[in-house]
């Protein structure tokens, strides 16, 4: 249920394992594309997807009554934040209500959407038990965090260990048995709350470490120290250190969002999640810092930012993917537009974006670079011709160290 970055690859893995799989989504256009055998997720190749759809073993529908015929259901719907940084549980609630209307004896329900500890037992369970069926006996309920890393060629849905925790021991056993049919490694834990917290620990760990290294970058900038060289040298320590890299800010549907599910919930227990708030503040300030860097670099070249042509390289939130959700590039572009700059962009994965009420189309790399007063590398996609970027630009602000190894007066690094 929910055929996005998480649901589609999962449906494919279970179909490949020989199961009859039905994907359910509320978007008719997505369902139609699915049923034509056209993958809209880059990590799922049409060569794998199409034959499964054509075999009739994998299909999609917007008709929720199909739940009445299913043995298992995985909820993979969005869990965004509201503007106030509170969890928006409306998708999970809608999905659960749809299941509750069709819950039947023997059904195994898995929640995979990232969420705060307690969601499965406090929010999902009562809705399903309202049917009169008992969990652990009549139906089974688990939480299993999705850990997929879009664009990662080595670790994908099938070989990322799957943590699963049930409401009861029987639920955990049922959930583990289910995932073992299609995935390489299953890690059972004692409860849904442990499983929910595992995901939040992982993503909070990343968010805070990125916050720390971004603060290091701000300090190094003032002290005129190359933060990238510092990290590379520190990473030679064979124990007790793990490198994280600074950048223009956090993006995607996970790292900037998930930790706030935890800080929101921890307030209920009287604990203020200070590390999360602090890292959130520092990471959230990075787009402004990048814009300051651009202004400073243009100033050195005696050009005011107002009226300058600025070409952004990469608008996806990370390298080699097409996802622009929460991308810091969008913040940087908007800030530059507000300052009166004329902004263009190139991204091989993203054809167009909307900013400040305007539709911007991705430009051809070299012509975009040639016509700009300043080029800003926001996403370090691999396979871009960085040598040409350096050759044809007059000024470059590199927020990702994509030009490591290039030496030129016109390169300004984060
Ligand atoms: N994208 C990632 O890399 C990633 C990684 C790990 C965990 N997650 C988590 O997984 C969950 C899903 O994320 P995603 O990136 O796949 O989102 P997505 O936006 O790509 O896909 C979600 C899908 O759910 C559908 N949907 C919404 N409401 C629905 C409903 N009531 N019934 C059926 N379908 C519905 C949407 O139309 C959409 O197709 C989120 O909680 C996210 O935090 C995402």
């Amino acid at each position: 249920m929910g055929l996005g970055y998480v649901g589609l690859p999962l449906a494919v893995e279970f179909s490949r394992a020989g199961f009859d799989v039905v994907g359910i989504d509320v978007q008719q256009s997505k369902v139609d594309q699915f049923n034509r055998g056209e993958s809209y997720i880059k990590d799922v190749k049409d060569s794998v997807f199409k034959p499964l759809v054509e075999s009739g073993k994998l299909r999609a529908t917007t008709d929720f009554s199909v739940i009445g015929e299913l043995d298992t259901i995985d909820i993979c719907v969005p869990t965004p934040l509201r503007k106030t940084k509170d969890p928006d549980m409306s998708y999970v609630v809608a999905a659960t209500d749809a299941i509750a209307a069709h819950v039947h004896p023997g059904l195994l329900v898995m929640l995979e959407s990232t969420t705060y500890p307690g969601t499965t037992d406090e929010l999902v369970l009562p809705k399903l038990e309202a049917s009169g069926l008992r969990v652990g006996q009549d139906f089974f309920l688990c939480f299993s965090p999705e850990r997929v890393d879009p664009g990662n060629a080595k670790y994908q849905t099938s070989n990322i260990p799957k943590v699963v925790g049930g409401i009861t021991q029987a639920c955990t056993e049922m959930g583990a048995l289910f995932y073992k049919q299609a995935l390489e490694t299953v890690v059972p834990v004692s409860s849904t709350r442990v499983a929910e917290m595992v995901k939040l620990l992982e993503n909070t760990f990343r968010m805070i470490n990125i916050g720390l290294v971004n603060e290091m970058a701000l300090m190094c900038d003032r002290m005129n120290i190359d933060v990238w060289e510092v990290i590379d040298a520190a990473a030679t320590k064979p124990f007790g250190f793990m490198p994280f890299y600074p950048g223009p800010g956090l993006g995607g549907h996970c790292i900037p969002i998930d930790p706030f599910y935890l800080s929101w919930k921890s307030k209920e227990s009287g604990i203020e999640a200070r590390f999360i708030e602090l890292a959130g503040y520092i990471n959230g300030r990075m787009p402004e810092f990048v814009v300051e860097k651009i202004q400073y670099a243009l100033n050195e070249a005696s050009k005011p930012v107002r009226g300058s042509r600025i070409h952004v390289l990469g608008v996806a939130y990370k390298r080699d993917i097409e996802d622009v959700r929460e991308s810091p590039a969008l913040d940087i572009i908007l800030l530059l537009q507000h300052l009166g700059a004329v902004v263009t962009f190139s991204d091989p994965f993203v054809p167009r974006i909307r900013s400040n009420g305007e539709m911007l189309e991705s430009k051809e790399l070299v012509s975009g670079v040639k016509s700009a007063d300043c080029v800003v590398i926001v996403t370090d996609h691999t396979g871009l011709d960085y040598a040409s970027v350096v050759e044809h630009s007059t000024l470059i602000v590199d927020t990702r160290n994509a030009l490591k190894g290039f030496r030129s007066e016109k390169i300004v690094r984060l």
Side-chain angles (χ1 to χ4, degrees):
M1 188 178 250
L3 296 172
Y5 287 91
V6 168
L8 182 76
L10 191 70
V12 166
E13 285 313 320
F14 275 92
S15 178
R16 285 177 61 185
F19 287 85
D20 236 330
V21 181
V22 185
I24 308 172
D25 205 287
V26 287
Q27 288 184 53
Q28 188 64 52
S29 57
K30 219 172 218 184
V31 164
D32 292 343
Q33 199 175 348
F34 188 111
N35 286 332
R36 287 196 301 271
E38 295 165 14
S39 168
Y40 41 84
I41 302 289
K42 210 174 140 274
D43 291 336
V44 176
K45 303 275 166 280
D46 275 346
S47 56
V48 175
F49 187 58
K50 207 173 177 88
L52 293 170
V53 174
E54 282 172 351
S55 74
K57 289 285 212 184
L58 179 62
R59 66 188 173 91
T61 181
T62 53
D63 179 3
F64 287 78
S65 69
V66 74
I67 297 167
E69 300 158 24
L70 301 177
D71 298 311
T72 73
I73 185 153
D74 280 74
I75 306 174
C76 309
V77 298
T79 42
L81 286 175
R82 297 191 189 281
K83 282 210 163 64
T84 50
K85 287 211 156 69
D86 290 347
D88 176 357
M89 299 310 293
S90 58
Y91 300 90
V92 172
V93 168
T96 308
D97 285 341
I99 297 171
H102 302 281
V103 64
H104 53 84
L107 185 66
L108 168 63
V109 180
M110 314 285 206
L111 178 59
E112 297 217 10
S113 302
T114 307
T115 185
Y116 60 82
T119 306
T120 315
D121 60 348
E122 291 169 1
L123 194 147
V124 179
L125 178 62
K127 285 179 180 290
L128 300 184
E129 282 202 323
S131 61
L133 299 178
R134 295 271 73 85
V135 71
Q137 296 169 26
D138 305 321
F139 73 95
F140 304 91
L141 177 60
C142 298
F143 182 82
S144 178
E146 178 49 59
R147 298 158 128 183
V148 72
D149 180 21
N152 190 325
K154 187 170 173 200
Y155 292 108
Q156 300 197 329
T157 302
S158 62
N159 63 349
I160 299 173
K162 195 83 173 109
V163 172
V164 57
I167 297 281
T168 68
Q169 178 63 24
C171 295
T172 307
E173 284 170 17
M174 201 65 104
L177 188 63
F178 167 65
Y179 284 121
K180 273 184 201 154
Q181 309 304 311
L183 311 180
E184 279 179 21
T185 313
V186 177
V187 184
V189 295
S190 64
S191 68
T192 52
R193 283 175 179 245
V194 168
E196 287 159 341
M197 198 59 145
V198 167
K199 175 73 186 176
L200 294 177
L201 171 62
E202 291 166 6
N203 282 6
T204 303
F205 171 85
R206 273 194 74 71
M207 183 241 202
I208 288 174
N209 279 289
I210 293 169
L212 171 67
V213 84
N214 275 335
E215 191 173 60
M216 278 279 174
L218 298 178
M219 289 190 248
C220 284
D221 184 64
R222 282 294 167 89
M223 296 181 204
N224 209 12
I225 298 169
D226 182 342
V227 69
W228 306 97
E229 192 184 347
V230 172
I231 297 166
D232 284 348
T236 60
K237 187 177 176 183
F239 51 87
F241 183 81
M242 183 185 282
F244 284 83
Y245 297 95
L250 294 182
H253 187 23
C254 294
I255 310 293
I257 293 176
D258 304 346
F260 291 100
Y261 270 69
L262 182 55
S263 61
W264 176 84
K265 186 67 179 176
S266 69
K267 280 194 194 114
E268 227 179 59
S269 319
I271 294 180
E272 253 185 77
R274 294 190 194 188
F275 274 119
I276 294 175
E277 299 296 334
L278 188 57
Y281 170 77
I282 294 167
N283 293 329
R285 218 192 91 57
M286 292 312 285
E288 284 168 43
F289 176 65
V290 170
V291 170
E292 281 164 24
K293 273 271 193 217
I294 297 167
Q295 280 179 294
Y296 186 78
L298 282 167
N299 207 28
E300 290 285 287
S302 305
K303 286 181 186 157
V305 69
R306 175 169 296 281
S308 282
R309 291 157 305 174
I310 298 178
H311 190 67
V312 172
L313 275 195
V315 294
Y317 82 83
K318 69 172 183 174
R319 79 163 67 118
D320 299 343
I321 63 164
E322 71 288 8
D323 193 352
V324 295
R325 287 179 297 179
E326 315 286 329
S327 174
L330 304 179
D331 293 333
I332 292 168
I333 290 171
L334 191 63
L335 286 167
L336 289 169
Q337 287 175 324
H338 284 166
L339 288 170
V342 180
V343 187
T344 53
F345 85 94
S346 306
D347 192 312
F349 299 95
V350 185
R352 63 193 64 82
I353 56 165
R354 181 172 281 284
S355 182
N356 210 17
E358 251 184 84
M359 190 63 92
L360 304 180
E361 303 277 339
S362 176
K363 289 183 81 168
E364 191 274 321
L365 180 72
V366 173
S367 70
V369 164
K370 267 186 178 166
S371 58
D373 297 305
C374 179
V375 172
V376 188
I377 302 177
V378 178
T379 315
D380 52 345
H381 291 306
T382 50
L384 282 191
D385 185 356
Y386 289 108
S388 258
V389 172
V390 175
E391 186 189 338
H392 296 293
S393 55
T394 46
L395 179 65
I396 310 170
V397 173
D398 179 5
T399 70
R400 299 278 191 180
N401 207 21
L403 302 181
K404 184 179 181 176
F406 287 90
R407 292 273 157 262
S408 165
E409 290 281 298
K410 57 188 171 187
I411 302 173
V412 176
R413 289 176 219 274
L414 191 72

